[in-house]
Amino acid sequence: MSASPPSSLPADGARARSELGRRAVDRERVRQRRAAGKRWRLLWLLVGPGVLVMLGENDAPSMLSYAATGANLGVGFFLPFVVATFAAAYAVQEMTVRVGSVTQRGHAELIFSRFGATWGWFSFADLALGNFLTVVTELIGLRSGLGFFGVPAWASVLTAMTLVVLVSSTARYRFWERTVLLLAIGNVVFVPVAMLAHPNWGHVGMALLTWRPLPNGPVHQTILLLVADVGATVTPWMLFFQQGAVTDKGLLASDIRYGRLDTALGATAAALCGIAVVVATSVLAGHHAPLSNPSAANFAQRLAPQVGHLGASLFALGVAEAGLVALILISTSSAFAFGEVTQGPRSLNRSLREGKPFYAVLILNVALAGGVVLLPGAPLLLVVLLVNVVAVLAMPPALLLLLLLANDAELMGPHVNTRLANVILGAIGAGLIAAGLAFGVSVVAQGLGL
């Protein structure tokens, strides 16, 4: 794709229906808004990937991780911890904005071209496995959320698969993006749930302003929740999705500041919703909701005496919504990566007929996960939390490859990483490694009875 937008909208109808033609239409709208000095309208056109990736990461397992955190350990340590993890997520995702806008290429494609096929296929395999396991948990969350309303498991899975196909087959990235954004706004239902819980707002305020020590509790459980909450904000699929979405949307280097603002808005909104879940379920802290059954229906039922039927219904609906949005985004990130490593179709601007391999990966990911979720006696207990832990363990190598790309002066030119950015991101990587090691040590210690 050319770095400069066309001077006029494409006149040829066939070309306007093509992938590049549709991007050209969007770029022309951006050019016109920029020329007219209409910055708010320009922001509205460019916003999307950052908000989606952050709210999408507030997925079903993430919200249930936050719920288990509030119910078992309260708010003292974890409210500022959630803020810190989303600040780290912003620092990581800002790199994908710069790399995607400058190179106009997806994450997997760049890894292939800069580091070779071995690292390219390794990164794709790592992503594909992690994404599949996560999609399974999204369907678990969606199924348990709708189960609170009496919806059968098979109907929940079939509805989710149908919606994924319908939303993803529009052959227009912009329409797809706005549709999923509308769905993602449903994440805010957790805010009224927190208000209906009537927590001690003085304690909530103090928790946000001070960073208290971790509360007493089983060490293994505390570490599991810590690592799961980290995995609720920083995961490999986010890198592939946002860089692919930035490319598919057609953002250029001149749009980077808007991409940063888009990502910051998303991080702020997602942090607020995550905090709301911890606050809402903190009223259960004396009751110790068991981690052996971290389902939306279970938490909704436990919350009902404190928040009423309305609040419990909103909580269950929120988890189902979070699962559906993440289902769409995570499956799309797998499709982006597959198209990039195979040099095949990798755009939502293509029709189902034009992008058969791309849409096949997207739809099969959901269909196979649905089959796993519906298997009688499938081992679903604790998988919701453990998938977030797996995401933490998989993140350091993915972050290292992104750092190398963002520091490639030949590739990035004046938009290469600054020294301060490298220090911050190095600290984030070290923290992720430490979290993974802490979890491994706790598992061994528990196994030895220490």
Side-chain angles (χ1 to χ4, degrees):
M1 177 177 175
S2 173
S4 58
S7 58
S8 62
L9 296 177
D12 182 5
R15 181 171 179 270
R17 288 191 295 271
S18 71
E19 175 185 338
L20 294 179
R22 287 181 172 127
R23 287 186 191 173
V25 171
D26 291 338
R27 289 306 310 165
E28 174 62 15
R29 289 196 183 102
V30 169
R31 188 192 69 79
Q32 290 173 353
R33 296 294 187 273
R34 183 176 284 117
K38 297 178 179 178
R39 295 193 176 185
W40 286 109
R41 292 188 182 181
L42 179 59
L43 175 62
W44 169 246
L45 285 176
L46 296 177
V47 74
V51 172
L52 280 178
V53 79
M54 292 296 182
L55 289 179
E57 184 51 19
N58 267 8
D59 58 357
S62 297
M63 303 322 267
L64 293 176
S65 293
Y66 292 141
T69 297
N72 286 276
L73 299 173
V75 300
F77 174 86
F78 284 95
L79 293 193
F81 183 72
V82 170
V83 173
T85 57
F86 274 103
Y90 170 81
V92 172
Q93 294 305 122
E94 186 273 340
M95 281 195 296
T96 68
V97 173
R98 278 188 289 118
V99 174
S101 299
V102 170
T103 66
Q104 288 290 285
R105 287 188 285 175
H107 192 59
E109 182 181 359
L110 277 180
I111 291 174
F112 239 84
S113 64
R114 306 303 281 190
F115 307 121
T118 300
W119 280 109
W121 282 109
F122 169 79
S123 65
F124 173 73
D126 183 45
L127 175 78
L129 176 60
N131 278 7
F132 177 74
L133 293 174
T134 307
V135 166
V136 170
T137 67
E138 305 305 344
L139 286 169
I140 293 171
L142 189 146
R143 166 184 152 175
S144 69
L146 294 181
F148 180 77
F149 303 99
V151 179
W154 67 266
S156 300
V157 172
L158 182 60
T159 299
M161 291 174 58
T162 302
L163 287 173
V164 169
V165 173
L166 289 176
V167 171
S168 302
S169 60
T170 61
R172 189 75 169 86
Y173 171 83
R174 182 169 174 75
F175 183 81
W176 173 90
E177 178 188 82
R178 298 303 161 177
T179 303
V180 184
L181 271 175
L182 185 63
L183 292 172
I185 291 172
N187 213 237
V188 302
V189 301
F190 293 107
V191 175
V193 176
M195 298 180 72
L196 289 168
H198 300 294
N200 185 321
W201 291 109
H203 289 170
V204 171
M206 285 298 295
L208 284 169
L209 295 174
T210 61
W211 204 320
R212 300 180 184 181
L214 279 166
N216 293 326
V219 174
H220 176 71
Q221 173 184 286
T222 301
I223 292 176
L224 173 62
L225 288 170
L226 274 170
V227 178
D229 287 348
V230 172
T233 49
V234 184
T235 54
W237 78 263
M238 298 169 71
L239 312 183
F240 290 83
F241 171 79
Q242 189 165 7
Q243 192 169 328
V246 161
T247 303
D248 211 9
K249 192 178 178 73
L251 267 64
L252 305 176
S254 56
D255 302 318
I256 287 175
R257 68 182 183 278
Y258 292 99
R260 286 170 174 155
L261 182 55
D262 173 32
T263 307
L265 288 172
T268 302
L272 176 63
C273 296
I275 287 171
V277 175
V278 177
V279 169
T281 57
S282 67
V283 299
L284 301 175
H287 301 82
H288 291 284
L291 293 182
S292 60
N293 187 20
S295 72
N298 177 272
F299 278 114
Q301 290 161 3
R302 287 175 171 270
L303 279 170
Q306 281 78 28
V307 302
H309 182 72
L310 174 62
S313 298
L314 287 175
F315 183 90
L317 188 63
V319 174
E321 172 275 338
L324 175 61
V325 171
L327 195 65
I328 296 169
L329 298 179
I330 294 170
S331 299
T332 303
S333 77
S334 293
F336 276 143
F338 180 78
E340 290 162 15
V341 299
T342 60
Q343 292 298 300
R346 48 189 179 275
S347 174
L348 288 156
N349 280 313
R350 294 198 183 203
S351 66
L352 285 171
R353 181 177 56 82
E354 294 170 328
K356 288 178 184 176
F358 176 88
Y359 291 106
V361 170
L362 195 158
I363 294 168
L364 281 174
N365 206 27
V366 179
L368 292 175
V372 171
V373 171
L374 293 177
L375 281 174
L380 305 179
L381 298 181
L382 276 182
V383 70
V384 167
L385 293 175
L386 292 177
V387 163
N388 278 354
V389 173
V390 170
V392 172
L393 300 176
M395 190 62 190
L399 180 59
L400 176 61
L401 291 173
L402 178 61
L403 265 172
L404 291 173
L405 290 172
N407 279 282
D408 189 329
E410 180 184 353
L411 194 69
M412 297 296 294
H415 300 286
V416 71
N417 261 19
T418 64
R419 184 174 298 177
L420 177 61
N422 285 332
V423 170
I424 293 172
L425 290 156
I428 292 171
L432 290 170
I433 293 171
L437 289 174
F439 178 73
V441 170
S442 75
V443 170
V444 173
Q446 187 184 42
L448 295 176
L450 299 178

